[in-house]
Amino acid sequence: MNHFVSANDVNSIQLLVNQALAYKSNPFADAQLGKGKRIGLLFLNPSLRTRLSTQVAASNLGMEAIVFNVDKEGWALEFEEGVIMNGNTVEHIKDAAPVLGQYFDILAIRTFPSLKNKDVDYSEQLMHQFIKYAGVPIVSLESATLHPLQSLTDIITIQESLLANPIQHKKPKVVLTWAPHIKPLPQCVANSFAQWVNAWGEADFVVTHPKGYELSETYTKGATIQYDQAAALENADFVYVKNWSSFHAYGQMLSHDEAWMLTQQTMMQTNQAKLMHCLPVRRNVELSDELLDGSNSLVTRQAGNRVWAAQAVLANILHQQKQLI
Ligand code: CP
């Protein structure tokens, strides 16, 4: 693995999931692998889970992790090619990225979309410029359109749950459902979950949302799309709850329909489904307290598994670097 910015960077999702679960059983199995190596974690947006789980993962591999909150502590970066820099930006990514590449063996970056210009956001300009100019492997800690470490974690969590409670004679039914929110959110987690579940190929995958919230077909192709949430949830084994803003009416909130909030009542038609959410979650807006606090909720385990996902990805990159020496 050279870079990790999407499911397309992974040869075998199942192998990566297995490796992550092996690290969960034996966190320090490769405690020497990252000795003498350093990862830079660059944040242009806030984080709790991604930041800390990646630091723990690096530590388990013997790596040093240095966090840099670029948005608060760095120079304002410019990403446009050929621009006349007579505005507010101070340093071009063409200059900053190669410098960062001198300091770190791996760079990991979090950036959110503007939700104002679909073409700019979906071009993933920032991630691609880091890949072009840094000269070291780039790991996405969530980008304008995708959140691959989260999605890998989500599949690890589904796999782990299936190992403990196997489903006989069929693939698990996994439903991604839109939920209400108070403000427009990126499509990243939903896009990414769809991309990874489709690439994994081990689930009967359904996406449900109100009309107007269709995600990019680049990611959902192969999934069943249903506008009737109750029908979609029927016999579901896993329900992933997430809000996203409209992709087609880019960045807009089209519906505040509270009926889409997940409750014990709406979960009645599922197959006693396990409940998933990437966190942070707006309680009693996206889904109810009773579900989050209930025995079928996987959300805390899911967040815990972020460590093993990050560890498996970093280990793959470190192995690749060793082979190149
Ligand atoms: N799920 C997730 O990415 O959490 P953070 O935003 O806290 O990192």
Side-chain angles (χ1 to χ4, degrees), residues 46-51 110 142 147 150 278-280 306:
S47 167
L48 185 155
R49 280 144 290 270
T50 307
R51 171 176 172 155
R110 164 166 284 199
E142 187 169 354
H147 195 353
Q150 180 65 54
C278 61
L279 302 178
R306 291 294 305 269

Side-chain angles (χ1 to χ4, degrees), residues 182-209:
I182 61 158
K183 61 178 191 178
L185 296 187
Q187 296 100 36
C188 312
V189 170
N191 281 343
S192 197
F193 186 68
Q195 184 191 42
W196 280 74
V197 173
N198 278 327
W200 185 42
E202 298 296 329
D204 169 14
F205 184 40
V206 177
V207 183
T208 184
H209 50 72

Side-chain angles (χ1 to χ4, degrees), residues 64-300:
E64 182 184 8
I66 294 179
V67 174
F68 182 30
N69 296 310
V70 182
D71 57 331
K72 296 181 188 72
E73 296 153 6
W75 299 114
L77 291 174
E78 177 62 58
F79 298 97
E80 288 297 324
E81 293 281 355
V83 72
I84 298 170
M85 286 178 58
N86 59 359
N88 292 329
T89 54
V90 178
E91 180 161 28
H92 203 282
I93 190 70
K94 272 173 141 168
D95 302 311
V99 172
L100 291 164
Q102 298 286 304
Y103 302 154
F104 297 106
D105 302 286
I106 301 174
L107 277 172
I109 300 142
R110 164 166 284 199
T111 180
F112 287 169
S114 67
L115 291 182
K116 292 189 175 78
N117 184 325
K118 178 159 67 177
D119 291 341
V120 170
D121 288 346
Y122 274 70
S123 74
E124 290 284 12
Q125 184 189 45
L126 185 145
M127 233 15 114
H128 288 140
Q129 284 185 313
F130 268 105
I131 287 172
K132 188 170 172 188
Y133 296 121
V136 293
I138 300 297
V139 173
S140 169
L141 300 174
E142 187 169 354
S143 68
T145 63
L146 295 169
H147 195 353
L149 280 173
Q150 180 65 54
S151 309
L152 172 58
T153 304
D154 299 335
I155 293 183
I156 291 165
T157 309
I158 292 171
Q159 175 79 68
E160 186 182 38
S161 177
L162 288 171
L163 288 171
N165 301 292
I167 296 170
Q168 303 296 339
H169 311 306
K170 73 169 184 93
K171 288 182 175 179
K173 180 174 178 182
V174 176
V175 179
L176 169 65
T177 179
W178 182 91
H181 204 278
I182 61 158
K183 61 178 191 178
L185 296 187
Q187 296 100 36
C188 312
V189 170
N191 281 343
S192 197
F193 186 68
Q195 184 191 42
W196 280 74
V197 173
N198 278 327
W200 185 42
E202 298 296 329
D204 169 14
F205 184 40
V206 177
V207 183
T208 184
H209 50 72
K211 284 202 168 149
Y213 281 98
E214 294 80 6
L215 294 162
S216 165
E217 278 191 26
T218 304
Y219 307 115
T220 57
K221 202 165 185 236
T224 303
I225 312 295
Q226 276 189 316
Y227 297 112
D228 180 341
Q229 189 191 47
L233 292 176
E234 217 165 283
N235 291 322
D237 299 299
F238 295 87
V239 177
Y240 200 106
V241 186
K242 187 71 186 85
N243 171 269
W244 61 87
S245 58
S246 174
F247 169 68
H248 292 289
Y250 193 62
Q252 289 183 34
M253 292 171 71
L254 308 176
S255 165
H256 299 265
D257 192 346
E258 289 174 11
W260 279 77
M261 182 177 97
L262 267 282
T263 64
Q264 215 137 43
Q265 190 60 36
T266 50
M267 291 287 278
M268 290 290 270
Q269 55 271 61
T270 70
N271 185 26
Q272 296 184 311
K274 302 290 186 197
L275 188 87
M276 302 178 73
H277 189 289
C278 61
L279 302 178
V281 64
R282 296 264 180 171
R283 281 176 173 256
N284 303 309
V285 174
E286 295 173 78
L287 66 166
S288 65
D289 275 339
E290 65 199 4
L291 287 183
L292 276 166
D293 300 333
S295 58
N296 281 356
S297 171
L298 294 180
V299 296
T300 305

